[in-house]
Amino acid sequence: MSLDSWDDGALSGCRPADGRLHFGYRDGITAPNIDWQDAPAARASDAVDCREIVVGYPNSDFPTAPFKPGPWQDFARDGSFVGLSWLYQDVAAFNRFLKANAPQAAPHVGPELAEEWIAAKMMGRWRHGSPLSRFPDAPPSTPQLNDAFGYGDDPNGVKCPLGAHIRIVNCRDHPLKFANQIRFPKGPPRVIRRGFSYGPHLEGTEDDGKDRGIVGLFYFARINEQFYTILRWMHQTDFADAYMRLPNGANAQDALTGNRADPKAETRFQVPLAGDASVTFQMKQFIRYKGVAVLFAPSVKALNTMIAVQR
């Protein structure tokens, strides 16, 4: 099939050499620490059970399908479900938003850093990758990508806003509401992410009509409890009690990926400051979902079995 939207007739892309994607953020910084050896006694405190990623080894804590022993479980073992998310990014609109709101941010951070400050508050990281939780006031001159941080000392989001992208998709040590604590006793859902950027680079605030964005692949073992739960949380932040302190907090959204077209969505993004002050931005639509699919990636053994059957 030929896709006329792209010059080469196909959806192809890459991860830029500096890791900076269309909105200017460095990508590929974090990945869950997976206990592939399945050794709970020696497991690090931040390690994720391998059953969160691969299927075929269900237990009472991770009742992944197929749960019953038999040929289907044998076939699925060591495979993963894969969520494919295809996003268009409106780079011109994003750049216009930063520029238009810079005067509102400038009194708190200075005019030279205003646009970067807004972008950082939306992501939870400065665009070169350093986390706000460790560098809340200004980006270090050299990117500091150490992922050992949490939100326990920042319950109201003064360092990293509650609506920041990385705080929603991986809330780390931020407490979930009681129902979600019961649902996720081992901590918030984790996935392995791989992806690439597609489409030509764009500078400035004028759209050139070209298609550009991100294709993300997310590997997990439980479709609803991991992939769709994270998607839901991005579009309705009712998963933790802290969000109830925000205006219309149950319907707040991820600052970057929220769907502002939802009539119930809270389109204001509140950035707390020291004391009781805050800055509020009226958010725009920066992305559009072009497609979401859940696939299954079988193991090499399963692929060899299928090849043998075909023969």
Side-chain angles (χ1 to χ4, degrees):
M1 180 179 69
S2 176
L3 299 173
D4 297 333
S5 300
W6 295 283
D7 295 337
D8 58 2
L11 175 58
S12 59
C14 66
R15 183 174 181 270
D18 62 356
R20 299 288 194 103
L21 304 186
H22 287 303
F23 287 160
Y25 298 105
R26 185 187 297 272
D27 192 35
I29 297 173
T30 63
N33 176 21
I34 309 297
D35 174 19
W36 295 115
Q37 302 304 314
D38 193 19
R43 186 176 296 163
S45 60
D46 67 336
V48 174
D49 195 299
C50 60
R51 292 171 181 80
E52 285 274 54
I53 309 301
V54 296
V55 300
Y57 303 93
N59 62 18
S60 58
D61 290 329
F62 298 93
T64 54
F67 187 78
K68 293 183 178 180
W72 282 116
Q73 189 183 94
D74 295 340
F75 175 80
R77 184 171 294 117
D78 294 323
S80 291
F81 290 104
V82 182
L84 184 151
S85 183
W86 178 6
L87 299 181
Y88 165 77
Q89 292 178 286
D90 192 339
V91 178
F94 182 71
N95 291 340
R96 287 195 300 270
F97 174 82
L98 297 181
K99 190 172 294 293
N101 287 279
Q104 192 177 353
H108 310 288
V109 71
E112 70 285 349
L113 203 58
E115 291 186 33
E116 287 299 317
W117 185 80
I118 297 171
K121 293 295 184 179
M122 293 170 67
M123 172 60 79
R125 293 183 184 273
W126 297 97
R127 286 202 279 190
H128 72 183
S130 302
L132 283 177
S133 291
R134 297 178 59 216
F135 304 95
D137 301 319
S141 57
T142 302
Q144 302 296 313
L145 308 182
N146 186 326
D147 199 42
F149 65 88
Y151 304 116
D153 65 340
D154 186 30
N156 297 318
V158 174
K159 293 181 180 179
C160 178
L162 298 176
H165 175 70
I166 68 167
R167 187 159 185 167
I168 289 176
V169 298
N170 180 14
C171 59
R172 299 175 186 255
D173 58 347
H174 186 102
L176 300 172
K177 68 181 183 182
F178 180 74
N180 281 325
Q181 291 177 29
I182 300 301
R183 189 181 180 199
F184 301 107
K186 304 296 183 180
R190 303 300 307 280
V191 298
I192 291 178
R193 178 187 176 276
R194 296 292 183 268
F196 63 84
S197 178
Y198 74 90
H201 180 72
L202 177 69
E203 295 278 358
T205 58
E206 296 298 322
D207 188 34
D208 60 2
K210 297 286 188 179
D211 194 358
R212 56 178 55 83
I214 295 177
V215 174
L217 297 173
F218 305 85
Y219 293 78
F220 47 86
R222 297 180 293 171
I223 297 172
N224 187 51
E225 288 80 359
Q226 290 169 270
F227 183 59
Y228 280 123
T229 288
I230 293 172
L231 283 179
R232 284 193 294 268
W233 289 2
M234 288 193 296
H235 295 96
Q236 188 173 14
T237 56
D238 61 351
F239 60 91
D241 292 332
Y243 290 90
M244 301 305 103
R245 295 194 288 271
L246 299 177
N248 192 22
N251 294 306
Q253 296 187 329
D254 185 309
L256 275 175
T257 65
N259 176 20
R260 322 297 179 205
D262 185 336
K264 295 181 180 179
E266 175 54 62
T267 58
R268 292 169 294 176
F269 174 48
Q270 187 178 87
V271 177
L273 304 172
D276 295 327
S278 65
V279 180
T280 300
F281 298 103
Q282 186 65 39
M283 305 309 289
K284 305 293 183 181
Q285 187 78 22
F286 303 118
I287 62 100
R288 183 176 73 250
Y289 283 89
K290 302 192 72 171
V292 175
V294 177
L295 314 169
F296 184 73
S299 67
V300 172
K301 181 179 179 180
L303 290 172
N304 288 333
T305 298
M306 289 189 289
I307 292 171
V309 170
Q310 290 297 319
R311 291 174 179 169

